[in-house]
């Protein structure tokens, strides 16, 4: 199916054209809906909305000291009576006419108040002020109460406004700032792509439908090409396939450059992670994989940039059909042809009518999918306790370890026939899975506001994971999917039966150039504040949204005190790291500090910091630390490609990273021993086996489904069940889902207090189990029933009488 974009024919009378680079014209689509569908940064009449002035940080102005020289104003008139000055300044502040004038000049109530406080402090604490201001203040004070006034408090307004613009410099350049942050025409940012006529081919279909295969075949047959994927594993897979097919292909990721040619000449084909793609190099064919991630709150901007900016004659886009409409509309704005090719799944996928219920029912080729490391650890231990071997894959494992675990599971001669994994298997790994078993269908997530919550997996996520079963070309000709517990199976069927929500908007992110222009106008603002103001003023078309910048701001605030130029600071803040890993964040801080001193970060320095060489882990805590050290090496390599002179030992670091990968593989292979060692120690080790605290907030959909099956209180029970380790969850699932027991657990069981005590070493897993057991026994005996409350109340009354 071919869709053509005829923007010039679609324009109604009176609609405007925005000129683009290359002399062609870009038509704004959906003109009637433009104002209503655009970001809240634009008013309904097309005018810009008022900025969020809470983000405007005043620049401090120091009062003039005694050493400033002679007071010219006092010589021309007389010294000021500060008491009278203060009275008149307060009169000035209260006048409605002055407040109205301030609003007309960009000072809303908040800014007006802050500016006045600063203005008053400056005058009152300065030993002298400018001669013209001194004369005006003297005239106002001398003329107060007289019939013929020498001066009026309103005469202070020009001086007040000048002071306000000094402490709020953005007031003088608001129009410029709005133009810089205007994100309504992203296609115009890529003149090279607009200068050619590109053909867009959308390969749409579910997992295991062959859509990416067909796009890659065209990539391999082209004279030159670029593959853009979401993961290093996917880029590495295409890199290997290309070179195995005698098509020289380079690998480019944030941390690594591998050349196909021995002399390091660039090959005509490149496989890269999507953030690393070049929008200046011309190609015959480009492949953009997993296009539905254009809606990702954090990384969506990279897919938008690739789709609009890649300079290729053919752009092959692969992903869910839910993204077709958005991609089509985006291509309308560039006037480019789009062809949609639909694919169906190559092997059947069946949702079973029964749940697994017990790990005794596992079969070769089964994959249990969990959404927390806690459940990964617990279930893998239970499986091996039954005499079975299992492979383990989760997100924070190094890519090499993931590949080795996948290889172990796929090997028909290896006794390992069971896989325990997180949703990290959803993309990037080829696995021979017969049956996907969801250990849970709720997952800790972060919503658009940056708040943590526990929510049911989406239809898109469920299909992506379930689709890994019965991969075409594997030993299993069809796939199956079910849940660990029967109660979850009903909801899983409902989730899978729903259609995937259409992708509505594409992500955008401020560029370094835009932030530099902002900094030129606001030189005293911090980088975090610059980003906040940029997003506040930004205007986006209804087809776009500004990506979440919380991680960027976190790093910006963390290194704000370190003296760095703006471009270097920006690079450090875009470093790909997990801010929940304290060791990695601390390392970035040390990197930035040494960088600011112009001291190269050498291999020896890094070894001292990470205490390399490292031994094999003895418990889970040590395994987690090794994973963090691996991330530190990744961070060093990432920075080494941006600051080669300051991070000079990339080759040596890559060598020890490979050795560390081997050490981690040993730890993962012995993961059950590590779990036992962790649970037998008192303090630090046990904390690592406890999942993170997430507020037990649920969506409307989740509450509806859960309450429909179990009643109103079961929503909380379902949330609590996620926090309980898999071993106890499997044994006591029905009990935990009892509404009465749920209330008890919520108050006395696995809340944030229990996790905090575990982390501080004041409580162990065994002690926690014993406390729970005692609590349940006391509950069954009625000790904490209603009767006991009355007894407690009576006892307290008697005690009170005795005291009296």
């Amino acid at each position: 199916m071919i869709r053509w974009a005829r923007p010039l024919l679609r324009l109604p009378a009176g609609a405007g054209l925005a000129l683009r680079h290359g002399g062609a014209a870009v038509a704004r689509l959906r003109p009637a809906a433009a104002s209503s569908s655009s970001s809240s940064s634009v008013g309904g009449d097309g005018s810009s909305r008022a900025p969020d002035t809470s983000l405007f940080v005043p620049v401090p102005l120091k009062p003039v000291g005694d050493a400033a020289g002679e007071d010219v104003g006092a010589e021309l008139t007389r010294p000021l009576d500060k008491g009278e000055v203060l009275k008149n300044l307060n009169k000035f502040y209260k006048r409605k006419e002055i407040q109205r004038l301030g609003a007309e000049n960009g000072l809303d109530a908040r800014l007006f108040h802050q500016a006045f406080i600063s203005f008053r402090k400056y005058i009152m604490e300065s030993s002298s002020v400018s001669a013209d201001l001194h004369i005006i203040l003297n005239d106002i004070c001398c003329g107060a109460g007289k019939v013929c006034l020498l001066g009026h408090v309103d005469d202070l307004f020009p001086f007040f406004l000048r002071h306000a613009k000094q402490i709020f410099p953005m007031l003088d350049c608001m129009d410029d700032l709005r133009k810089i942050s205007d994100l309504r025409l992203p296609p115009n940012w890529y003149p090279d792509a607009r200068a050619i006529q590109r053909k867009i081919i959308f390969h749409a279909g579910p997992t295991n439908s062959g859509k990416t295969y067909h796009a890659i075949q065209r990539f391999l047959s082209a004279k030159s090409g670029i593959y853009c994927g979401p993961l290093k594993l996917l880029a590495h897979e295409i890199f290997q396939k290309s070179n195995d097919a005698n098509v020289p292909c380079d690998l480019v990721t944030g941390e690594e450059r591998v050349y196909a040619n021995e002399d390091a000449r660039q090959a005509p084909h490149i496989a890269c992670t999507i953030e690393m793609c070049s929008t200046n190099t011309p190609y015959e064919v480009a492949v953009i994989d997993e296009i539905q991630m254009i809606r990702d709150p954090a990384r969506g901007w990279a897919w938008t940039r690739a789709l609009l900016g890649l300079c290729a004659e053919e752009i092959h886009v692969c992903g869910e059909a839910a993204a077709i409409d958005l991609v089509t509309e985006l291509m309308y704005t560039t006037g480019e042809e789009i062809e949609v090719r639909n694919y169906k799944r190559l092997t059947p996928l069946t949702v079973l009518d029964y749940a697994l219920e017990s790990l005794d029912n596992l079969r070769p080729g089964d994959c249990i999918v969990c959404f927390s490391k806690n459940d990964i650890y617990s279930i893998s231990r239970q499986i091996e306790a039954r005499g079975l071997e299992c492979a383990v894959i989760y997100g924070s494992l190094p890519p090499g370890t993931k590949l080795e675990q996948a290889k172990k599971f796929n090997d028909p001669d290896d006794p390992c026939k069971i896989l325990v994994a997180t949703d990290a298997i959803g993309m990037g790994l080829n696995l021979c899975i017969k049956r996907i078993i969801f250990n849970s269908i709720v997952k800790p997530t972060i919503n658009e506001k940056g708040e943590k919550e526990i929510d049911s997996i989406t239809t898109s996520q469920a299909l992506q994971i379930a689709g890994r079963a019965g991969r075409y070309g594997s030993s299993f000709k069809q796939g199956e999917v079910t849940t660990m517990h029967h109660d979850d199976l009903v909801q899983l069927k409902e989730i899978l039966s729903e259609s995937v929500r259409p992708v509505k908007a594409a992500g955008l992110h401020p560029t370094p150039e835009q932030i530099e222009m902002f900094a030129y106008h606001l030189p005293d603002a911090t980088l975090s504040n610059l980003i906040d103001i940029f997003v506040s003023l930004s205007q986006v078309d209804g087809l776009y949204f500004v990506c979440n910048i919380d991680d960027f701001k976190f790093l910006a605030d963390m290194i704000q005190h370190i003296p760095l130029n703006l471009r270097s600071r920006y690079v450090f803040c875009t470093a790909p790291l997990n801010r929940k890993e304290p060791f990695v964040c601390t390392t970035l801080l040390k990197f930035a500090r040494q960088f600011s001193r112009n001291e190269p970060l050498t291999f020896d320095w890094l070894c001292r910091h990470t205490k390399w060489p490292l031994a094999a882990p003895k418990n889970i805590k040590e395994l987690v630390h090794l994973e963090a050290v691996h991330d530190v090496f990744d961070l060093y390599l990432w920075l080494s490609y941006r600051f080669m002179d300051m991070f000079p030992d990339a080759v040596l670091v890559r060598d020890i990273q490979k050795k560390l990968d081997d050490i981690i593989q040993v730890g993962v292979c012995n993961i059950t021993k590590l779990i036992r060692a962790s649970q037998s120690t008192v303090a630090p080790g046990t904390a690592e086996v406890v999942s993170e605290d997430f507020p037990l907030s649920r969506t409307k959909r989740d509450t509806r489904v859960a309450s429909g099956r179990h009643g109103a209180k079961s929503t909380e029970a379902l949330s609590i069940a996620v926090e309980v380790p898999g071993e106890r969850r499997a044994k006591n699932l029905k009990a935990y889902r009892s509404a009465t027991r749920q209330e008890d657990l919520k108050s006395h069981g696995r809340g944030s207090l229990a996790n905090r005590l575990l982390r501080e070493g004041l409580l162990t897993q065994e002690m926690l189990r014993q406390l729970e057991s005692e609590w349940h026994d006391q509950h069954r005996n009625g000790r904490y029933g209603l009767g006991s409350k009355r007894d407690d109340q009576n006892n307290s009354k008697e005690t009170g009488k005795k005291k009296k």
Side-chain angles (χ1 to χ4, degrees):
M1 178 176 64
I2 298 179
R3 303 187 182 192
W4 293 86
R6 298 186 179 88
L8 298 180
L9 299 180
R10 288 173 173 266
L11 285 174
L17 292 178
L19 292 180
R20 72 180 184 194
H21 295 277
V26 178
R28 293 297 302 280
L29 289 220
R30 305 186 302 171
S35 61
S36 61
S37 64
S38 59
S39 164
S40 57
S41 296
V42 184
D45 59 353
S47 61
S48 300
R49 67 175 170 88
D52 182 0
T53 56
S54 65
L55 302 173
F56 293 1
V57 179
V59 177
L61 285 183
K62 292 183 179 180
V64 178
D66 294 331
E70 296 182 0
D71 189 349
V72 177
E75 291 181 2
L76 294 174
T77 55
R78 64 177 182 175
L80 293 174
D81 182 345
K82 290 295 178 81
E84 286 296 320
V85 169
L86 179 61
K87 290 179 183 178
N88 284 287
L89 287 174
N90 290 335
K91 288 180 184 178
F92 170 83
Y93 174 72
K94 294 176 183 178
R95 285 183 59 77
K96 297 295 183 184
E97 293 84 352
I98 296 298
Q99 294 175 13
R100 178 179 55 77
L101 280 172
E104 290 176 0
N105 285 273
L107 294 170
D108 63 7
R110 179 196 300 271
L111 295 185
F112 182 84
H113 177 74
Q114 287 182 290
F116 173 74
I117 296 297
S118 176
F119 182 58
R120 183 177 64 186
K121 181 180 179 181
Y122 178 80
I123 291 176
M124 298 302 295
E125 294 183 5
S126 292
S127 60
S128 63
V129 294
S130 62
D132 51 353
L133 176 57
H134 186 108
I135 293 171
I136 291 294
L137 287 170
N138 181 71
D139 288 350
I140 293 172
C141 293
C142 291
K146 296 180 180 180
V147 176
C148 182
L149 298 180
L150 295 175
H152 193 277
V153 290
D154 288 0
D155 298 338
L156 287 172
F157 184 78
F159 302 94
F160 167 73
L161 185 60
R162 183 175 64 189
H163 183 90
K165 289 183 177 181
Q166 283 181 290
I167 66 169
F168 293 115
M170 60 284 296
L171 294 175
D172 248 350
C173 55
M174 193 61 67
D175 289 340
D176 290 334
L177 296 179
R178 288 189 192 280
K179 289 176 183 177
I180 296 168
S181 59
D182 190 342
L183 308 179
R184 287 176 293 181
L185 286 173
N188 291 1
W189 303 348
Y190 309 103
D192 292 342
R194 301 290 76 78
I196 64 173
Q197 187 65 28
R198 307 181 308 167
K199 180 179 180 181
I200 315 298
I201 301 171
F202 196 124
H203 301 263
T207 304
N208 199 18
S209 61
K211 57 184 184 298
T212 307
Y213 169 82
H214 287 88
I216 294 302
Q217 292 306 302
R218 180 68 186 96
F219 167 80
L220 295 175
S221 66
K223 294 178 182 177
S224 63
I226 181 170
Y227 167 85
C228 308
L231 301 173
K232 287 184 282 188
L233 283 173
L234 285 169
H236 195 272
E237 179 186 347
I238 302 303
F239 164 74
Q240 286 188 321
K241 281 184 178 179
S242 297
N243 288 293
D244 290 345
N246 294 319
V247 177
C249 179
D250 294 341
L251 174 67
V252 179
T253 69
E255 302 79 19
E256 190 174 19
R257 305 286 194 283
V258 181
Y259 294 99
N261 299 312
E262 294 181 359
D263 58 358
R265 284 184 298 106
Q266 183 171 315
H269 288 72
I270 290 178
C272 66
T273 46
I274 193 158
E275 287 87 353
M276 300 303 297
C277 70
S278 168
T279 58
N280 300 319
T281 308
Y283 301 99
E284 181 183 347
V285 170
V287 177
I288 304 174
D289 208 357
E290 305 294 350
I291 187 62
Q292 70 276 2
M293 290 189 70
I294 200 170
R295 67 179 164 200
D296 187 85
R299 298 178 66 200
W301 63 270
W303 276 262
T304 305
R305 174 176 171 270
L307 181 63
L308 297 177
L310 280 174
C311 192
E313 298 169 21
E314 289 182 22
I315 308 283
H316 290 257
V317 177
C318 307
E320 296 176 358
I324 291 176
D325 289 344
L326 176 64
V327 172
T328 302
E329 290 199 60
L330 291 177
M331 293 306 99
Y332 279 155
T333 66
T334 63
E336 292 169 329
E337 171 190 347
I338 178 169
E339 175 185 343
V340 179
R341 299 177 185 175
N342 290 294
Y343 299 81
K344 294 183 179 179
R345 185 178 167 86
L346 298 174
T347 57
L349 179 66
T350 305
V351 183
L352 301 178
D353 292 325
Y354 55 89
L356 187 70
E357 297 292 355
S358 170
L359 295 177
D360 294 327
N361 298 324
L362 286 172
R363 303 194 301 257
D366 279 350
C367 172
I368 302 177
V369 176
C370 309
F371 295 113
S372 74
K373 278 188 185 179
N374 187 46
D375 286 344
I376 290 274
Y377 299 150
S378 182
I379 288 175
S380 60
R381 180 180 177 183
Q382 293 178 65
I383 290 172
E384 297 206 5
R386 288 166 167 78
L388 302 173
E389 281 194 42
C390 66
V392 174
I393 296 175
Y394 51 86
S396 58
L397 285 177
T401 303
K402 291 177 185 174
L403 289 171
E404 283 301 315
Q405 289 292 299
K407 182 179 178 181
K408 179 181 178 182
F409 174 71
N410 289 338
D411 188 352
D413 298 324
D414 196 292
C416 172
K417 301 300 179 187
I418 307 296
L419 176 63
V420 183
T422 63
D423 52 346
I425 65 165
M427 60 178 70
L429 291 169
N430 291 321
L431 298 162
C432 296
I433 298 172
K434 168 66 174 176
R435 179 171 59 171
I436 289 285
I437 302 159
F438 285 90
N439 183 59
S440 169
I441 54 171
V442 292
K443 176 185 179 181
T445 59
I446 296 178
N447 62 22
E448 294 84 353
K449 298 178 181 178
E451 300 168 340
K452 297 176 182 176
E453 60 182 22
I454 293 180
D455 191 14
S456 295
I457 57 175
T458 64
T459 301
S460 177
Q461 291 170 334
L463 289 171
Q464 186 83 19
I465 297 168
R468 310 307 290 178
R471 185 174 67 88
Y472 180 76
S474 71
S475 55
F476 302 111
K477 302 304 179 185
Q478 67 176 36
E480 297 173 346
V481 58
T482 186
T483 57
M484 179 70 75
H485 311 284
H486 179 74
D487 291 338
D488 290 337
L489 186 57
V490 178
Q491 190 174 355
L492 178 64
K493 288 184 175 181
E494 180 182 335
I495 292 172
L496 291 172
S497 66
E498 294 179 357
S499 58
V500 179
R501 293 179 182 176
V503 181
K504 296 289 189 182
L508 296 174
H509 192 280
T511 66
E513 293 77 17
Q514 289 169 325
I515 299 304
E516 280 184 337
M517 286 190 284
F518 247 58
Y520 172 79
H521 291 289
L522 306 174
D524 297 308
T526 66
L527 180 55
S528 177
N529 190 230
L530 284 174
I531 289 287
D532 274 335
I533 296 174
F534 184 97
V535 173
S536 169
L537 295 177
S538 64
Q539 303 174 60
V540 294
D541 187 271
L543 298 176
Y544 302 95
F545 69 93
V546 179
C547 284
N548 189 304
I549 55 172
D550 289 345
D551 287 346
F552 184 98
K553 286 175 55 187
F554 171 82
L555 296 179
D557 289 333
M558 187 175 73
I559 65 172
Q560 179 56 42
H561 64 286
I562 298 175
L564 295 169
N565 64 59
L566 183 66
R567 181 60 72 113
S568 298
R569 189 180 300 277
Y570 185 95
V571 171
F572 272 94
C573 292
T574 56
L577 58 79
N578 183 355
R579 62 175 174 170
K580 294 179 183 177
E581 295 180 352
F583 182 70
V584 184
C585 292
T586 302
T587 303
L588 178 71
L589 191 61
K590 291 183 178 180
F591 282 172
R593 188 175 291 119
Q594 185 133 338
F595 181 95
S596 71
R597 296 195 292 259
N598 204 30
E599 299 174 5
L601 290 111
T602 62
F603 176 75
D604 291 337
W605 184 96
L606 187 64
C607 289
R608 287 195 303 272
H609 173 67
T610 57
K611 298 180 180 177
W612 180 266
L614 297 166
K618 299 181 182 65
N619 53 45
I620 290 296
K621 181 183 179 183
E622 292 184 6
L623 176 62
V624 170
H625 177 68
L626 291 182
E627 293 168 6
V629 174
H630 193 281
D631 288 345
V632 166
F633 291 164
D634 261 349
L635 179 61
Y636 184 98
L637 294 172
W638 189 88
L639 289 167
S640 73
Y641 284 109
R642 288 145 183 88
F643 307 110
M644 294 183 183
D645 54 334
M646 297 300 292
F647 296 83
D649 296 329
V651 175
L652 295 173
V653 173
R654 184 166 289 108
D655 287 342
I656 63 172
Q657 188 183 44
K658 290 176 182 176
K659 295 176 182 177
L660 177 59
D661 205 333
D662 294 336
I663 296 172
I664 293 174
Q665 288 178 35
V666 172
V668 173
C669 290
N670 298 315
I671 196 164
T672 55
K673 294 179 183 178
L674 303 186
I675 295 168
R676 284 195 294 270
S678 295
Q679 293 183 336
S680 64
T681 57
V682 176
T686 54
E688 300 297 340
V689 191
V690 180
S691 57
E692 298 179 39
D693 297 328
F694 283 89
L696 304 182
S697 57
R698 309 296 299 235
T699 62
K700 294 179 181 179
R701 171 224 172 105
D702 208 29
T703 305
R704 172 178 54 79
V705 175
S707 61
R709 297 200 314 268
H710 304 292
K713 293 182 180 178
S714 62
T715 301
E716 295 177 355
L718 190 59
S719 299
I720 288 292
V722 177
E723 292 189 349
V724 178
E727 186 173 1
R728 292 190 57 79
R729 189 179 185 278
K731 291 180 179 178
N732 302 311
L733 183 67
K734 293 182 180 179
Y736 280 120
R737 285 185 173 168
S738 161
T740 305
R741 177 76 61 83
Q742 158 60 25
E743 293 296 322
D744 295 339
L745 278 177
K746 186 175 180 182
S747 301
H748 303 277
R750 299 277 193 160
S752 58
L753 176 61
N755 283 336
R756 191 166 69 251
L757 291 174
L758 283 164
R759 277 193 289 270
E760 293 173 358
L762 302 176
L763 192 65
T764 67
Q765 291 279 359
E766 190 58 40
M767 292 167 63
L768 186 56
R769 292 193 186 97
Q770 186 176 350
L771 286 171
E772 287 183 355
S773 176
E774 290 177 3
W775 168 255
H776 298 151
D777 290 342
Q778 291 167 344
H779 178 79
R780 283 194 293 271
N781 294 334
R783 180 170 178 179
Y784 292 111
L786 292 173
S788 67
K789 288 184 180 178
R790 294 193 191 99
D791 293 342
D792 291 341
Q793 290 171 357
N794 292 335
N795 291 337
S796 63
K797 288 179 181 178
E798 291 175 7
T799 304
K801 289 177 182 178
K802 287 179 183 179
K803 287 182 179 179
K804 289 179 182 179

